[in-house]
C-alpha cells in the first residue's frame, strides 16, 4: 500500500470524531490508504463501546458522587486552614486566608473553563490569582511550588501562566485554552540551566526548554521576569515569543521563539531576529510555520513594523520537544522588501540560492553548518539588495 | 500527669481511627481491585490498591462524611491509576480474571489493543466508554481540563485506529 500524505490528517480528524472536509472525503474515495483508514474508523466507532464495556466487571459510582467527595475535601481543608490561622490570631493572616481561599477555589473550581479572561489583571503585576485545577494538579505532581501565578495574559487571554519553583529551579508553566491541538501544559525551564530541564506534565504535552546560554544570561540580570507567550493557532500551527517584564513594564529582550513539535503533527516554529525597542514600545515579530512534506511553509507572520531588510535572517534548530529531539537546522527569515525574490546562502564552500516568496522563508539546511552563514538577498535580476550574516 | 492522660487519649483515638479505616477498607478492597483492573491491568491494580490504602489511611481524618468513604477511595484509586503513567510503568497483561476473550461479532484484536494503551489513555477511555462518564466529569475527577481529556481520548482513538489500519494493510 502506498503512502499518502493525507492519511495522517484524515486519521487524526477521524480520531477526534470530526467530519472530514469535502476534499478529504473525496480523496478517501480514490485513495486505498485513506479508504482503509475511514473503514477502520467506522469499525472502531462501532466496536469500541462494546469492547470496553466488556472489560469492566464492577460499575463505578455515578460521577457526581465521586465529585461530591472532592468538594467536601476542599471544604474541609478550608476549615482547617481558617482554624489554624484564627488560632494564630494575626490580623495579617486573615489577608492570607482571603488570598489562599481564592487560590483554593481555583483548585477546586472548574479550571480554565471557568476563568474570566476579560477581568484578568495585567500579567507580571498580579502576584496571585486563582489557580486552574490543571495547573494545581500539575504543580503537585512535580513536587513544585508556585512562586507566582500570573493568571491570564492580556495579549493572549487564552493563556494562563505561572512561575514555579522546584529544588532551586524555576520554570514557567502555562496552559493554552482553548487549545485546538489539545496541547497540554507547556513548561519552559529556567533558573539553573546546568540542571536537568524542569520536567513535569502529562503525556503528550509539548515541552520546550530554554536555550542554556539565554537562560543563564537572563539569570544574571536584575529582576528578570520573562514571560513566554505561546499559543496554538490550529492543529498545525503555533507561534511563540518572549516578552520580558522588567520592573513591571514589558519589554522585549532577546526575543526568540522556540521550536516545538505538537502531539500529532510537526508544527511550526518561528524565530525572531530583531525587535526594535527604541520607541519604548515592545514589538513582537514571529513567523508561523507549518510542516509541509519535507519542507516548511510560512503561513503567517505577526509583528510590529520592521522596515529593514537583511536583518531578519537567523539559523535555528527545528523542533525541540520532550522526548523528540530533532536535529534539523534551518535558516528562517522575514523580508520586507518586495524586490527580494531569492536568498543566497554560503555554506560548505558553495553559494546556495533559494527562491523566496511571501516575504518570509524557511530553508532547511543539510545539517548544522553553522550559525553565521553569509547571505545575500537578491532581486529578480540577481542583484544584491542586502547582504549580511545570519545570526543564531 | 494530666498531660500523659491526654496523650493516651489521643493515641487511643488515632488507633481507633486506624482500625476503623482498616475495617472499612477491607470491605471495599475487592471493589477497588475490580474497578482498577480494567484501567491498568490486574497486576498494576494490586499496587494501585495498596497505594490507595496508604493514601487513604493518611488522609482519613479529612473525610467528614462517612457515607462518602467508598467514593472517596475510588477517587484516590482512579488518580493512582493515572499516576502509573507518570512513573513510566507500562501496562502488564491482564490476569486470569480479566483475560482477553474474543468478543462475538467484534474485532478480536481491539481489546488487546486497548490493553496496550498507556494507562492514562486507557483509564480515560474506560471511564468514558464503559462507565459512561462525560469528558467534563472525567476532567474534574482527574483534575484535567476538558481540552486535555478530549485530547487524551482522541489520542487513544488515534492509536487504536492506526493499529487497526495497519492490521488491515
Amino acid at each position: 500500500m502506498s503512502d499518502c500524505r493525507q492519511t495522517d490528517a484524515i486519521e487524526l480528524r477521524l480520531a477526534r470524531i470530526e467530519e472530514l472536509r469535502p476534499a478529504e472525503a473525496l480523496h478517501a474515495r480514490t485513495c486505498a490508504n485513506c479508504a482503509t483508514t475511514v473503514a477502520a474508523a467506522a469499525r472502531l466507532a462501532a466496536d469500541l463501546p462494546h469492547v470496553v464495556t466488556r472489560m469492566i466487571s464492577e460499575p463505578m459510582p455515578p460521577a457526581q458522587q465521586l465529585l461530591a467527595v472532592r468538594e467536601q475535601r476542599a471544604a474541609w481543608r478550608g476549615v482547617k486552614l481558617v482554624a489554624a490561622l484564627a488560632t494564630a490570631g494575626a490580623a495579617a493572616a486573615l489577608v492570607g486566608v482571603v488570598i489562599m481561599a481564592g487560590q483554593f477555589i481555583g483548585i477546586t473550581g472548574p479550571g480554565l473553563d471557568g476563568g474570566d479572561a476579560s477581568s484578568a489583571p495585567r500579567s507580571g503585576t498580579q502576584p496571585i490569582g486563582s489557580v486552574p485545577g490543571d495547573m494545581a494538579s500539575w504543580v503537585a505532581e512535580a513536587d513544585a511550588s508556585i512562586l507566582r501565578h500570573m493568571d491570564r495574559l492580556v495579549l493572549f487571554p487564552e493563556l494562563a501562566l505561572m512561575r514555579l519553583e522546584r529544588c532551586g529551579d524555576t520554570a514557567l508553566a502555562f496552559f493554552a485554552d482553548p487549545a485546538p491541538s489539545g496541547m497540554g501544559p507547556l513548561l519552559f525551564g529556567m533558573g539553573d540551566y546546568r540542571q536537568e530541564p524542569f520536567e513535569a506534565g502529562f503525556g503528550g504535552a509539548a515541552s520546550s526548554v530554554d536555550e542554556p546560554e539565554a537562560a543563564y544570561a537572563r539569570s544574571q540580570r536584575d529582576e528578570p521576569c520573562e514571560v513566554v507567550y505561546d499559543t496554538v493557532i490550529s492543529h498545525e500551527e503555533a507561534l511563540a515569543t518572549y516578552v520580558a517584564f522588567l520592573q513591571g513594564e514589558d519589554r522585549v529582550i532577546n526575543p526568540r521563539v522556540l521550536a516545538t513539535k505538537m502531539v500529532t503533527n510537526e508544527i511550526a516554529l518561528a524565530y525572531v531576529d530583531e525587535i526594535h525597542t527604541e520607541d519604548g514600545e515592545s514589538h513582537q515579530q514571529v513567523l508561523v510555520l507549518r510542516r509541509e512534506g519535507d519542507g516548511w511553509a510560512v503561513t503567517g507572520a505577526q509583528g510590529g513594523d520592521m522596515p529593514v531588510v537583511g536583518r531578519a535572517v537567523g539559523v535555528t534548530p527545528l523542533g525541540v520537544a520532550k522526548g523528540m529531539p530533532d536535529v534539523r537546522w534551518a535558516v528562517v527569515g522575514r523580508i520586507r522588501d518586495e524586490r527580494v525574490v531569492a536568498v543566497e546562502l554560503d555554506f560548505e564552500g558553495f553559494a546556495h540560492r533559494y527562491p523566496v516568496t511571501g516575504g518570509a522563508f524557511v530553508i532547511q539546511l543539510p545539517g548544522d553548518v553553522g550559525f553565521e552563514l553569509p547571505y545575500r538577498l537578491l532581486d529578480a535580476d540577481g542583484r544584491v539588495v542586502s547582504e549580511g550574516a545570519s545570526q543564531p | 500527669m494530666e498531660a500523659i492522660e491526654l496523650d493516651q487519649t489521643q493515641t487511643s483515638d488515632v488507633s481507633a481511627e486506624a482500625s476503623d479505616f482498616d475495617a472499612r477498607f477491607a470491605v471495599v478492597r475487592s471493589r477497588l481491585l475490580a474497578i482498577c483492573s480494567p484501567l491498568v491491568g490486574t497486576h498494576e491494580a494490586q499496587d494501585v490498591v495498596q497505594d490507595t490504602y496508604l493514601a487513604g489511611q493518611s488522609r482519613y481524618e479529612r473525610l467528614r462524611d462517612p457515607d462518602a468513604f467508598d467514593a472517596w477511595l475510588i477517587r484516590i484509586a482512579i488518580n493512582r491509576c493515572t499516576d502509573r503513567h507518570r512513573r513510566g510503568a507500562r501496562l502488564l497483561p491482564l490476569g486470569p480474571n480479566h483475560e482477553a476473550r474474543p468478543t462475538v461479532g467484534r474485532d478480536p484484536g481491539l481489546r488487546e489493543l486497548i490493553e496496550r494503551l498507556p494507562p492514562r489513555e486507557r483509564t480515560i477511555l474506560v471511564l468514558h466508554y464503559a462507565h459512561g462518564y462525560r469528558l467534563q466529569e472525567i476532567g474534574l475527577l482527574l483534575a484535567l481540563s476538558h481540552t486535555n481529556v478530549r485530547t487524551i481520548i482522541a489520542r487513544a482513538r488515534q492509536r487504536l485506529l492506526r493499529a487497526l489500519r495497519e492490521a488491515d494493510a
Side-chain angles (χ1 to χ4, degrees):
Chain A
M1 187 173 291
S2 62
D3 290 332
C4 172
R5 285 185 175 183
Q6 294 194 42
T7 302
D8 286 348
I10 288 176
E11 179 188 88
L12 179 62
R13 200 175 296 283
L14 293 171
R16 289 175 174 155
I17 316 184
E18 295 173 354
E19 283 191 22
L20 293 182
R21 292 172 179 165
E24 291 171 333
L26 190 64
H27 167 79
R29 291 178 195 166
T30 57
C31 171
N33 216 18
C34 293
T36 304
T37 302
V38 172
R43 198 167 78 241
L44 181 66
D47 290 355
L48 186 58
H50 301 282
V51 174
V52 176
T53 302
R54 286 169 181 264
M55 291 174 67
I56 64 168
S57 58
E58 177 73 30
M60 295 262 288
Q64 291 307 322
Q65 194 176 328
L66 299 185
L67 294 172
V69 178
R70 185 185 194 212
E71 291 164 3
Q72 185 182 28
R73 278 187 52 208
W76 167 233
R77 277 188 190 171
V79 169
K80 288 186 73 174
L81 182 62
V82 172
L85 292 174
T87 303
L94 293 177
V95 177
V97 170
V98 174
I99 295 172
M100 295 175 79
Q103 266 192 304
F104 202 71
I105 290 168
I107 291 172
T108 57
L112 286 172
D113 292 339
D116 181 6
S118 62
S119 62
R122 184 176 185 80
S123 59
T125 59
Q126 177 70 6
I128 281 182
S130 63
V131 179
D134 276 4
M135 280 194 166
S137 169
W138 192 37
V139 171
E141 291 165 10
D143 290 329
S145 57
I146 300 171
L147 294 181
R148 190 173 198 182
H149 177 231
M150 303 177 192
D151 212 328
R152 305 283 175 150
L153 302 179
V154 174
L155 295 179
F156 295 102
E158 68 276 28
L159 216 60
L161 178 70
M162 68 169 60
R163 180 181 289 269
L164 306 176
E165 186 275 337
R166 188 192 65 177
C167 301
D169 286 351
T170 60
L172 289 173
F174 56 94
F175 282 76
D177 185 46
S181 72
M183 179 175 63
L186 298 187
L187 196 69
F188 279 67
M190 296 172 60
D192 189 345
Y193 69 100
R194 293 161 298 187
Q195 301 297 318
E196 283 293 311
F198 195 105
E199 185 157 329
F202 303 131
S207 177
S208 301
V209 177
D210 202 355
E211 295 179 20
E213 293 82 0
Y216 178 76
R218 278 195 299 277
S219 70
Q220 302 306 300
R221 297 194 188 104
D222 293 334
E223 297 187 41
C225 184
E226 297 81 6
V227 172
V228 180
Y229 288 153
D230 190 320
T231 188
V232 176
I233 297 173
S234 71
H235 299 311
E236 299 172 335
E237 296 174 312
L239 63 86
T241 187
Y242 276 106
V243 173
F245 282 86
L246 289 177
Q247 297 174 337
E249 296 184 4
D250 54 330
R251 302 178 191 181
V252 175
I253 297 176
N254 286 336
R256 61 184 62 243
V257 176
L258 301 178
T260 186
K261 189 184 279 183
M262 301 303 291
V263 175
T264 52
N265 285 319
E266 292 174 276
I267 47 161
L269 72 151
Y271 184 84
V272 186
D273 172 66
E274 185 176 1
I275 297 291
H276 294 258
T277 57
E278 289 85 349
D279 56 5
E281 295 182 8
S282 62
H283 296 278
Q284 301 170 51
Q285 180 172 321
V286 296
L287 302 178
V288 183
L289 315 177
R290 186 181 62 224
R291 185 94 168 124
E292 281 192 356
D294 295 330
W296 297 83
V298 177
T299 61
Q302 174 183 327
D305 289 335
M306 246 179 101
V308 294
V309 171
R311 297 295 304 276
V313 177
V315 176
T316 185
L318 289 178
V320 178
K322 185 168 63 179
M324 292 188 290
D326 195 328
V327 296
R328 287 170 299 181
W329 291 78
V331 169
V332 298
R334 188 178 185 192
I335 302 165
R336 289 180 176 271
D337 189 318
E338 293 179 353
R339 292 174 298 168
V340 175
V341 298
V343 60
E344 204 167 62
L345 298 169
D346 294 344
F347 60 87
E348 294 181 337
F350 297 94
H352 304 261
R353 185 176 295 189
Y354 304 90
V356 176
T357 58
F361 58 88
V362 185
I363 300 167
Q364 188 168 335
L365 300 171
D368 180 6
V369 294
F371 285 114
E372 297 183 9
L373 303 181
Y375 71 87
R376 291 167 293 283
L377 301 177
L378 309 175
D379 66 13
D381 297 324
R383 290 189 294 262
V384 176
V385 175
S386 176
E387 60 185 330
S390 64
Q391 302 166 3
Chain B
M1 188 65 186
E2 196 173 285
I4 293 174
E5 286 175 357
L6 181 62
D7 285 344
Q8 286 173 337
T9 304
Q10 287 175 336
T11 304
S12 174
D13 288 346
V14 170
S15 177
E17 199 170 64
S19 175
D20 181 48
F21 175 83
D22 286 352
R24 300 188 69 181
F25 189 88
V27 175
V28 76
R29 186 176 184 283
S30 60
R31 188 180 183 199
L32 290 176
L33 268 176
I35 286 173
C36 294
S37 292
L39 304 182
V40 292
T42 303
H43 189 84
E44 288 282 311
Q46 299 276 358
D47 290 345
V48 167
V49 171
Q50 180 63 22
D51 287 349
T52 304
Y53 171 81
L54 294 173
Q57 191 181 47
S58 66
R59 287 144 55 176
Y60 185 45
E61 61 173 89
R62 298 177 188 170
L63 183 66
R64 306 299 284 174
D65 181 2
D67 293 338
F69 184 77
D70 286 14
W72 175 62
L73 284 179
I74 289 169
R75 267 196 69 111
I76 295 175
I78 292 172
N79 279 294
R80 288 295 184 277
C81 286
T82 58
D83 281 349
R84 298 275 122 180
H85 165 85
R86 287 186 289 276
R87 295 176 191 173
R90 309 309 303 170
L91 283 179
L92 297 172
L94 294 179
N97 295 331
H98 291 87
E99 281 182 353
R101 296 184 297 271
T103 49
V104 179
R106 304 290 175 193
D107 187 339
L110 186 52
R111 176 166 178 152
E112 287 81 349
L113 295 175
I114 293 168
E115 288 165 356
R116 289 193 202 115
L117 288 173
R120 182 182 293 270
E121 293 176 19
R122 177 169 155 181
T123 298
I124 291 177
L125 206 67
V126 172
L127 290 176
H128 181 58
Y129 283 106
H131 294 291
Y133 286 9
R134 292 179 297 148
L135 300 188
Q136 191 175 13
E137 292 171 334
I138 295 172
L140 291 171
L141 203 59
L142 301 178
L144 295 171
S145 70
H146 180 264
T147 302
N148 250 342
V149 175
R150 198 174 56 211
T151 300
I152 293 168
I153 207 164
R155 194 182 308 140
R157 281 195 295 254
Q158 190 179 15
R159 283 188 211 271
L160 297 174
L161 181 54
R162 180 163 295 177
L164 289 175
R165 174 162 64 92
E166 289 172 354
D168 287 347

